[in-house]
Amino acid sequence: MSKIAIVYGSSTGATEAVAEKIQALFDNATLFNVADISVEDIQDFDFLVLGASTTGVGDLQDDWDIFLPKFEKMNFAGKKVAMFSLGDSASFSTSFAGAMYYLYKALKGKVEIIGSVPTDGYTFDESDAVIDGKFIGLAIDEDNEYDQTDSRLAAWVENLKKQIG
Ligand SMILES: Cc1cc2nc3c(=O)[nH]c(=O)nc-3n(C[C@H](O)[C@H](O)[C@H](O)COP(=O)(O)O)c2cc1C
């Protein structure tokens, strides 16, 4: 069975709460706040679920921004990664959930990335997190679409479980 780590960066707690929900949907996942860890803490896990909120204009959450240069040096051999990011699609319709693009950019080509999501059902204008017509991970909007969060998480995690073995 895959060893699963969920690593989140959260400025005001919304991403942390979503990370806890994702943990509850897996049977055996360990939760880490990226602000508190070093690369060694997560090296032994097979599957990494990375979550970040979006700040600035489509920017990566601050704690992740600090950790990212160290993370890029990690040995990703044999691992899989999935990403989620939080955003506000009403106030930031042209940079919605862009944070995960920075994670994607840092890891692309180094590790197998799974968990892309169709944009159907979302309302926004632009997002760096959309590549080839799909979100590169799961976009969550706790500011406007909190009523869809649980069903989005359940569908995403079910799909991930099938792919990690
Ligand atoms: C200063 C600031 C900038 C933000 N910029 C964006 C943005 O560019 N795109 C977006 O989708 N959401 C943006 N948001 C919304 C947050 O990502 C969203 O509220 C999120 O749920 C916060 O999660 P957290 O509490 O885990 O940090 C911004 C929020 C703040 C406070």
Side-chain angles (χ1 to χ4, degrees):
M1 191 193 279
S2 292
K3 275 186 78 182
I4 305 169
I6 301 165
V7 187
Y8 68 87
S10 182
S11 299
T12 58
T15 307
E16 180 176 24
V18 169
E20 287 168 353
K21 287 186 169 191
I22 293 172
Q23 183 186 31
L25 291 167
F26 282 106
D27 305 324
N28 60 333
T30 308
L31 197 60
F32 297 95
N33 184 336
V34 74
D36 301 334
I37 61 166
S38 63
V39 163
E40 293 72 47
D41 293 319
I42 53 171
Q43 184 64 66
D44 284 346
F45 290 84
D46 311 301
F47 180 44
L48 305 173
V49 180
L50 313 177
S53 55
T54 310
T55 191
V57 181
D59 295 333
L60 183 60
Q61 193 270 342
D62 292 348
D63 300 314
W64 258 118
D65 204 37
I66 293 165
F67 186 71
L68 204 55
K70 292 179 260 175
F71 192 46
E72 286 182 60
K73 297 193 179 84
M74 183 162 143
N75 177 10
F76 286 101
K79 296 191 194 306
K80 289 179 181 168
V81 166
M83 299 166 295
F84 67 98
S85 63
L86 271 72
D88 174 342
S89 61
S91 304
F92 297 93
S93 182
T94 55
S95 60
F96 175 51
M100 64 183 151
Y101 173 69
Y102 294 88
L103 303 175
Y104 175 84
K105 203 169 60 165
L107 301 182
K108 190 175 174 282
K110 294 186 173 148
V111 63
E112 185 180 353
I113 298 172
I114 62 172
S116 63
V117 172
T119 56
D120 307 339
Y122 292 89
T123 306
F124 67 101
D125 292 312
E126 278 175 46
S127 173
D128 287 343
V130 175
I131 294 179
D132 294 335
K134 288 177 104 182
F135 285 113
I136 52 185
L138 179 66
I140 291 288
D141 183 345
E142 283 287 85
D143 297 291
N144 311 287
E145 299 178 350
Y146 45 85
D147 53 335
Q148 296 192 56
T149 294
D150 287 353
S151 59
R152 284 173 173 166
L153 291 176
W156 191 59
V157 170
E158 194 183 306
N159 183 34
L160 294 177
K161 280 180 179 172
K162 286 184 199 143
Q163 293 184 62
I164 58 173

